[in-house]
Amino acid sequence: MELFGSSGIRGVALRYLTPELVLDIAKAAGTTWDADRVAVARDTRTTGELFANAAASGLAAVGCDVDRLGVVPTPAVGNYCETAGVPCVLVTASHNPPEFNGIKLVGDDGVELSVGVLERVERRVLDDDYDHANWRNAGATTRIEGAVDDYVGQLIDAVDAEAIADAGLTVAVDPGHGAASVSSPRIYRELGCDVLTVNATPDGHFPGRQSEPVPENLGDLQRLVATTDADVGIAHDGDADRAVFVDEDGEFVDGDTSFAAMADACLDPGDAVVSAVNVSQRLVDVCDANDADLELTPIGATNIITRTRELHEEGVNVPIAGEGNGGVFFPPYRLSRDGAYIGARFLELLAAADAPVSEAVAPYEDYHFVRRNVEYADDDERDEMLSAARAYVETADAEPNTTDGYRLDYGDAWVLVRPSGTEPKIRIYAESADADRAERLATDMYVAVESGR
């Protein structure tokens, strides 16, 4: 797709992402949905109101009445869409820096659109093909109150609140000045936790930290946990569809580790897990231990959602899906990522284990991950380097997975090579419980790729 990537469309606001483009996307979405009403929501970014106004105008121009939700976390949008039976144009750039903004399209079931529907919307934008209304039937606007309240209530009803409360946990929450500032601290308090906060005022400049919840951005949360004897720290991205964790000593818990721990707690024989092709060996081992299948997709939430839907239609149970960046799905709850719900499920895990975070995740930590990048000058050089990688893969003692690049699984280790979707680089990943083996796999692939120059 030219416009929509693996998680919507994103770009620098007022340069790549313009009001004109948002207007066209909203008109295309409204025409494709053929819905009487469509919601519009946004995160805290400074350009959010501007783009939300453009989206509302585009929807009204094709005859859709517009429900304006204001600033709400992405999972609250999903709850509203599912409850009210309306789709939504959501203005958010998720974890990107403050100068970015973006658009996600959510269906009337509360789930981001499948690849097939996104392609139809995109085609209308590229073809300038909209069903415009006239002055008599242009859409009207209604401001909706209470979407966050409803979301908080349904989430609390969906988890084991009694077990969490009985655990007597102190939780430090870092919403990163994003949309979860209005919801996550409240959720964990209502679940019976003592709650401490940092970076918890809504502010689209992200003054306390950058939006992506990665270790280099979480120093405030780590210090808060370490100096207050909190039991766990929970951090979100800008739109609150991800959650990552800090242990009781203030140490960052790798997202692949927490994903594996939560998967181990909910898998039964015959289940399936859906994840991206760069999935960790930790999850491979957990699936093997639980006699569960692992389904791999191209990288990106949209691809994971699409494959999970297909498996549901085939009658396969998928209790958990996602990626190791904190973006975990629990499809029986909803086929969308919900940072606060992910956090609550992790609290359930701690309550059941009756152990500190470091002990609860210890069985899933003893893995070594290697990542290398190889830059290329132009498309011809990229193609030659990928051809060299393909030749190497074809001689390897493992069956390649070509879902997204080339992945070689050796049972106890894996290596993946794929072109970046955003930079002129070829990315190499390798992982094993044996550090030397992971380094060797990455080095061998690196040498192969370089030989194509």
Side-chain angles (χ1 to χ4, degrees):
M1 291 186 286
E2 294 182 40
L3 294 176
F4 291 99
S6 58
S7 294
I9 180 172
R10 296 176 195 164
V12 175
L14 304 180
R15 291 189 181 178
Y16 175 75
L17 191 73
T18 63
E20 293 83 0
L21 177 57
V22 172
L23 183 84
D24 287 344
I25 291 170
K27 289 194 296 184
T31 301
T32 301
W33 281 322
D34 192 26
D36 294 330
R37 290 166 54 209
V38 178
V40 172
R42 65 183 181 92
D43 65 18
T44 61
R45 291 167 191 273
T46 59
T47 54
E49 184 72 12
L50 182 158
F51 289 126
N53 290 339
S57 296
L59 291 166
V62 295
C64 300
D65 290 335
V66 181
D67 292 354
R68 295 293 295 265
L69 305 185
V71 175
V72 293
T74 289
V77 170
N79 181 66
Y80 182 81
C81 291
E82 183 180 29
T83 302
V86 299
C88 181
V89 177
L90 173 58
V91 179
T92 178
S94 188
H95 65 273
N96 287 91
E99 65 270 23
F100 281 71
N101 218 323
I103 299 293
K104 286 183 181 179
L105 301 179
V106 181
D108 60 10
D109 56 356
V111 179
E112 292 178 43
L113 299 189
S114 66
V115 173
V117 180
L118 284 175
E119 288 175 342
R120 289 165 52 200
V121 173
E122 180 172 294
R123 179 45 51 195
R124 286 189 179 275
V125 175
L126 298 176
D127 292 346
D128 199 25
D129 178 20
Y130 318 112
D131 291 341
H132 286 109
N134 59 38
W135 66 272
R136 291 185 179 86
N137 54 20
T141 295
T142 303
R143 295 201 175 271
I144 304 296
E145 305 292 340
V148 171
D149 294 339
D150 293 342
Y151 159 67
V152 170
Q154 66 84 30
L155 189 153
I156 290 171
D157 289 343
V159 299
D160 192 343
E162 183 177 354
I164 294 171
D166 287 346
L169 299 169
T170 297
V171 179
V173 182
D174 181 354
H177 300 291
S181 301
V182 303
S183 54
S184 281
R186 172 182 168 187
I187 286 168
Y188 299 126
R189 288 191 179 101
E190 294 194 20
L191 286 171
C193 303
D194 291 330
V195 176
L196 309 169
T197 62
V198 65
N199 302 321
T201 53
D203 189 332
H205 295 93
F206 305 143
R209 70 164 172 88
Q210 288 294 301
S211 182
E212 187 166 16
V214 291
E216 55 266 33
N217 293 337
L218 299 181
D220 290 343
L221 179 62
Q222 292 176 290
R223 284 187 291 273
L224 179 62
V225 173
T227 58
T228 61
D229 293 324
D231 296 292
V232 62
I234 302 174
H236 300 305
D237 57 341
D239 68 334
D241 66 355
R242 289 162 55 182
V244 298
F245 305 99
V246 169
D247 75 12
E248 73 282 1
D249 297 319
E251 297 295 323
F252 180 75
V253 178
D254 187 274
D256 285 311
T257 297
S258 55
F259 185 14
M262 289 186 286
D264 206 9
C266 67
L267 284 174
D268 290 318
D271 287 345
V273 179
V274 180
S275 190
V277 71
N278 61 345
V279 65
S280 170
Q281 186 68 29
R282 305 155 218 247
L283 190 61
V284 174
D285 293 346
V286 163
C287 289
D288 288 344
N290 287 279
D291 196 21
D293 294 327
L294 179 60
E295 295 272 343
L296 299 184
T297 73
I299 291 171
T302 300
N303 298 308
I304 292 172
I305 290 168
T306 299
R307 183 55 183 151
T308 302
R309 276 179 160 151
E310 292 171 351
L311 289 170
H312 281 169
E313 292 171 359
E314 297 169 10
V316 178
N317 185 44
V318 183
I320 191 169
E323 297 175 282
N325 60 4
V328 179
F329 299 81
F330 292 89
Y333 164 70
R334 183 176 291 120
L335 189 50
S336 58
R337 301 180 299 190
D338 183 335
Y341 182 79
I342 297 165
R345 290 294 295 262
F346 194 75
L347 298 183
E348 286 182 350
L349 185 153
L350 296 181
D354 192 23
V357 173
S358 60
E359 293 183 18
V361 302
Y364 316 97
E365 285 192 316
D366 193 18
Y367 292 82
H368 187 73
F369 181 80
V370 180
R371 175 174 173 167
R372 296 189 181 174
N373 294 317
V374 186
E375 295 186 1
Y376 56 83
D378 52 38
D379 289 352
D380 288 340
E381 185 173 59
R382 177 199 61 196
D383 293 344
E384 290 296 325
M385 295 165 79
L386 288 174
S387 293
R390 181 172 63 251
Y392 172 82
V393 164
E394 289 173 350
T395 65
D397 188 23
E399 185 69 26
N401 182 311
T402 58
T403 300
D404 186 355
Y406 303 101
R407 176 179 170 122
L408 295 171
D409 280 295
Y410 293 93
D412 64 334
W414 60 272
V415 62
L416 167 69
V417 58
R418 61 182 292 274
S420 169
T422 58
E423 299 177 276
K425 297 177 181 178
I426 292 174
R427 303 199 188 279
I428 297 168
Y429 312 84
E431 187 183 37
S432 174
D434 182 330
D436 290 340
R437 180 158 171 70
E439 292 283 357
R440 187 167 60 253
L441 287 171
T443 298
D444 290 348
M445 184 63 78
Y446 180 87
V447 170
V449 170
E450 281 282 1
S451 72
R453 286 190 187 274

